Amino acid sequence: MAAKYDYWLSEEGLTKIDGWARDGCTDDEIAKHCNVAPRTFANWKAKYPQLAAILRQGKEYADRKVERSLYQRALGCRVEEIVYNGDGDIVKRIVKDVPPDVTAIIFWLKNRKPEEWRDKREIVKDDDNDQVLLFLKAMRGE
């Protein structure tokens, strides 16, 4: 009898694993689909470069889809909604404009341009700051 990993290293097995990775599954979820323990799956990844490569490829695809969706959500977009009847026939198509999402914009900017958009700013201490502090202390009578 062939080892369990033989199937998952075949073209068909790797195609399934790629599909699960593209669907956003974690390694533990993929291990469950393969009916193996997560540790076993991790060992396979370390031992078989073709498996590690197909996982990277599939996950990169999923990440790019999410990044694109976040980008579209930040800018706003136009979507088409299709309404079907009970027989599966298209009844009508509705085009909707989705406005830009402020939360998506903030998330994008904080991650893409953290020096300009992060919440916590570093205050640089200089002589002017010291002079202001001395003035305030003098005004309070300290």
Side-chain angles (χ1 to χ4, degrees):
M1 182 172 136
K4 190 176 244 187
Y5 63 83
D6 284 342
Y7 172 75
W8 296 110
L9 296 176
S10 71
E11 185 176 342
E12 182 180 355
L14 290 172
T15 299
K16 287 181 181 181
I17 289 171
D18 181 50
W20 292 321
R22 287 172 179 257
D23 288 344
C25 290
T26 64
D27 285 358
D28 286 356
E29 291 168 331
I30 295 171
K32 188 174 183 178
H33 286 303
C34 295
N35 292 318
V36 297
R39 185 72 203 136
T40 300
F41 193 72
N43 290 338
W44 290 357
K45 274 182 18 184
K47 189 173 182 179
Y48 304 108
Q50 66 271 39
L51 177 61
I54 207 77
L55 282 166
R56 272 192 309 277
Q57 175 184 318
K59 289 177 181 183
E60 177 69 21
Y61 173 83
D63 291 345
R64 295 259 181 218
K65 276 182 72 172
V66 171
E67 289 168 358
R68 181 70 181 157
S69 295
L70 174 64
Y71 178 75
Q72 289 174 329
R73 184 75 184 193
L75 297 179
C77 57
R78 181 167 282 190
V79 296
E80 183 178 49
E81 196 173 284
I82 301 172
V83 180
Y84 298 93
N85 66 14
D87 296 329
D89 299 322
I90 296 174
V91 175
K92 63 180 171 179
R93 296 174 187 266
I94 303 166
V95 176
K96 294 182 179 181
D97 287 320
V98 178
D101 183 316
V102 174
T103 304
I105 293 167
I106 291 168
F107 185 81
W108 181 273
L109 290 172
K110 283 184 177 185
N111 283 282
R112 295 281 294 230
K113 300 179 96 177
E115 294 302 318
E116 297 171 44
W117 289 95
R118 70 174 160 220
D119 291 330
K120 185 178 177 183
R121 300 239 180 218
E122 303 254 344
I123 298 175
V124 178
K125 188 174 179 179
D126 60 18
D127 289 337
D128 290 338
N129 287 342
D130 290 341
Q131 293 299 318
V132 171
L133 289 173
L134 288 172
F135 174 77
L136 292 173
K137 285 182 180 181
M139 294 297 291
R140 288 187 290 229
E142 296 177 9

